Amino acid sequence: EVIDAGAISRFQQYLQINTAHPSPDYPSAVRFLESVASSIAGIRSETLEFVPGKPLLLLTWPGRDPSLTAVLLYSHTDVVPAEPSKWSHHPFSAAIGADGEIFARGSQDMKCISMQHLEAARRLSAAGFTPDRTVYFVFAPDEEIGGKDGAGALAASEKFREMRVGVVLDEGLASPGEEYRVFYAERVPRWLVIKAQGAPGHGAKLYDGSAMENLMKSVETIRRFRAAQFDMLKSGEKAEGEVVSVNFAFLKAGTPTPTGFVMNLQPSEAEVGLDIRVPPNVDIEALERRVAEEWAPSSRNMTFMFKQKASVVDKHGKPMLTVADSSNPWWTLLEEAVKKANGKLSKPEIFPASTDARFFRELGLPAFGFSPMANTPVLLHDHNEFLKQDEYLKGIEVFESIVKTFTSYKHQHKDDESRAEL
Ligand SMILES: [Zn+2]
Ligand SMILES: [Zn+2]
């Protein structure tokens, strides 16, 4: 089998750019992607900076028929931090392992997709292909810290309205099996900080109403809720995207000293941070009432604040679900394109975490989460994140097929009409 060494090496180069939070090297990432794009005939490039220091690269591959809506191939450029000492290879080395694994932070989430988009365009363009529909490639910052300054700003812009996007492809997840996973919706993120206050006191004294005691009561209640949700997942009754996940992100309390904490003083304040993800069909207002009444009751001297509170419904007030059956032509086209590339899609799912696709679904646009990584363990945000070379290369072929199939679709349909009046 002939390996496209150029494609592998470009992927490695991109992975070697450290775009991890809290200080992602966006300038280098954009410069690199731009230079790759500049070698692809027919593609125009521009950098948009909705927020200073957070550049978004927009590539345009103009279609023959400007009356047709455009296809948006979307990816984010930032990655989550990694702890080098806990990796077998340095997370920004993109070292190749014995079985052809490319080890790097971002190899699955989601620098692979960014480069596969570009490589697919490179191959199609070199073969003389010109799309009928315009194809946009967006490489956006900020996804891992909320997306407001990246996809959020783009989706809210006049520029985006002018782009007349008709369908969006964003990230999915790796799949350990043969079939590619695909996502038509996602859980809504609710990041919650609960704060307890209480009387301070001597560490030897037993009394009611300390901040710690108030907080730990909540922690117990939250843990019971978490366990009940987790049980439905463990029993197989529900899928990961169908239960509410609640995880403890941090606990903060105590009176610090240079060597640790004061041990014989009960603190007057204590906090817990929670990462909560809510399926689109769950009554989120009921959950918010539960927070106010049971998890952070003011009667127990507690307050709470949502640090991330994404929208639950789209601009028409409808739940943010993209139709994933034959009534949505984009779904049919996606199935067809993947099949043509000798791949198979598994049953469409609700994405268990969150992606920037929500900013586009919020506008009422159809958006699918799809990362062509079969036979691959799910390692996003984990140690030793990797993608094998052959899976990466197969993914390029899948995107070639998608670009051809999507852009050759000539009909305007309901989505396009509703898009036009935005
Ligand atoms: Zn991602
Ligand atoms: Zn991520």
Side-chain angles (χ1 to χ4, degrees):
E1 196 190 336
V2 188
I3 265 214
D4 185 341
I8 296 294
S9 134
R10 284 185 291 273
F11 183 29
Q12 286 175 296
Q13 285 174 60
Y14 186 39
L15 290 168
Q16 284 158 0
I17 300 168
N18 184 340
T19 54
H21 289 287
S23 47
D25 185 358
Y26 287 134
S28 299
V30 167
R31 216 177 306 123
F32 174 76
L33 294 167
E34 220 167 8
S35 84
V36 173
S38 70
S39 67
I40 306 172
I43 289 189
R44 289 199 310 254
S45 144
E46 65 198 289
T47 304
L48 309 174
E49 202 159 314
F50 294 106
V51 173
K54 297 188 180 184
L56 178 152
L57 179 66
L58 171 65
L59 304 180
T60 308
W61 196 3
R64 275 207 194 88
D65 183 350
S67 76
L68 296 169
T69 57
V71 174
L72 171 56
L73 299 181
Y74 184 90
S75 60
H76 63 81
T77 52
D78 56 329
V79 298
V80 288
E83 298 169 82
S85 65
K86 297 184 180 159
W87 284 55
S88 59
H89 303 77
H90 191 279
F92 295 99
S93 67
I96 310 243
D99 290 321
E101 308 95 329
I102 306 171
F103 287 98
R105 173 58 86 225
S107 54
Q108 294 192 10
D109 179 13
M110 62 175 300
K111 286 178 168 171
C112 50
I113 313 295
S114 301
M115 292 308 292
Q116 284 165 331
H117 287 166
L118 287 173
E119 298 294 343
R122 167 195 299 285
R123 290 185 191 174
L124 290 171
S125 168
F129 176 83
T130 304
D132 288 323
R133 281 176 196 269
T134 293
V135 184
Y136 290 108
F137 304 85
V138 164
F139 306 85
D142 211 53
E143 195 275 348
E144 296 290 4
I145 56 168
K148 184 171 72 67
D149 295 342
L154 175 68
S157 70
E158 180 59 28
K159 176 81 191 177
F160 190 73
R161 257 165 38 89
E162 287 164 7
M163 286 161 62
R164 294 186 62 246
V165 170
V167 64
V168 181
L169 282 189
D170 189 9
E171 65 191 313
L173 290 175
S175 154
E178 291 282 329
E179 298 180 341
Y180 294 126
R181 296 171 74 177
V182 58
F183 302 88
Y184 65 97
E186 59 186 48
R187 292 196 290 192
V188 181
R190 280 283 185 279
W191 291 344
L192 175 65
V193 177
I194 295 176
K195 183 172 176 177
Q197 303 198 66
H202 196 288
K205 185 173 155 69
L206 287 169
Y207 61 94
D208 283 322
S210 76
M212 279 294 209
E213 187 65 9
N214 288 342
L215 189 75
M216 293 326 265
K217 277 187 184 155
S218 292
V219 167
E220 283 169 24
T221 309
I222 295 164
R223 280 202 56 217
R224 271 199 302 277
F225 177 85
R226 181 184 183 278
Q229 296 291 316
F230 198 6
D231 281 345
M232 290 190 274
L233 181 59
K234 284 175 181 161
S235 71
E237 183 191 329
K238 293 211 169 154
E240 205 185 352
E242 295 168 358
V243 298
V244 180
S245 67
V246 182
N247 284 307
F248 296 94
F250 69 82
L251 285 163
K252 196 170 118 192
T255 308
T257 72
T259 53
F261 290 89
V262 176
M263 293 301 291
N264 56 355
L265 174 64
Q266 300 191 49
S268 65
E269 289 185 359
E271 272 180 23
V272 62
L274 301 161
D275 183 333
I276 307 172
R277 309 287 171 127
V278 189
N281 57 334
V282 164
D283 180 354
I284 201 141
E285 278 159 22
L287 186 79
E288 285 173 1
R289 275 197 302 278
R290 183 189 288 272
V291 171
E293 288 162 16
E294 296 175 28
W295 296 5
S298 54
S299 60
R300 220 163 51 231
N301 227 340
M302 305 186 71
T303 52
F304 64 94
M305 192 190 92
F306 284 103
K307 295 198 76 170
Q308 165 74 245
K309 207 177 167 181
S311 182
V312 191
V313 288
D314 70 14
K315 62 161 200 158
H316 307 294
K318 292 201 232 129
M320 300 207 281
L321 312 169
T322 296
V323 176
D325 64 33
S326 58
S327 69
N328 177 1
W330 295 115
W331 170 255
T332 309
L333 292 163
L334 181 63
E335 274 191 313
E336 194 184 304
V338 171
K339 201 165 149 196
K340 272 193 215 146
N342 298 316
K344 202 171 176 305
L345 292 177
S346 53
K347 195 170 142 290
E349 298 168 75
I350 297 170
F351 195 82
S354 313
T355 72
D356 278 340
R358 71 183 185 278
F359 293 105
F360 305 110
R361 291 201 187 103
E362 210 176 321
L363 295 178
L365 287 176
F368 293 107
F370 175 68
S371 299
M373 297 184 284
N375 312 300
T376 305
V378 181
L379 291 170
L380 77 169
H381 297 205
D382 204 341
H383 299 322
N384 300 320
E385 182 179 350
F386 74 79
L387 178 60
K388 287 192 177 176
Q389 298 178 80
D390 53 350
E391 268 311 311
Y392 172 72
L393 294 172
K394 216 155 91 195
I396 298 174
E397 290 169 23
V398 174
F399 279 116
E400 278 183 78
S401 178
I402 289 174
V403 169
K404 277 199 283 194
T405 308
F406 274 27
T407 60
S408 310
Y409 176 62
K410 296 287 169 39
H411 303 277
Q412 296 287 8
H413 54 85
K414 231 167 103 259
D415 288 327
D416 291 355
E417 282 156 23
S418 70
R419 178 71 202 143
E421 76 196 26
L422 269 178

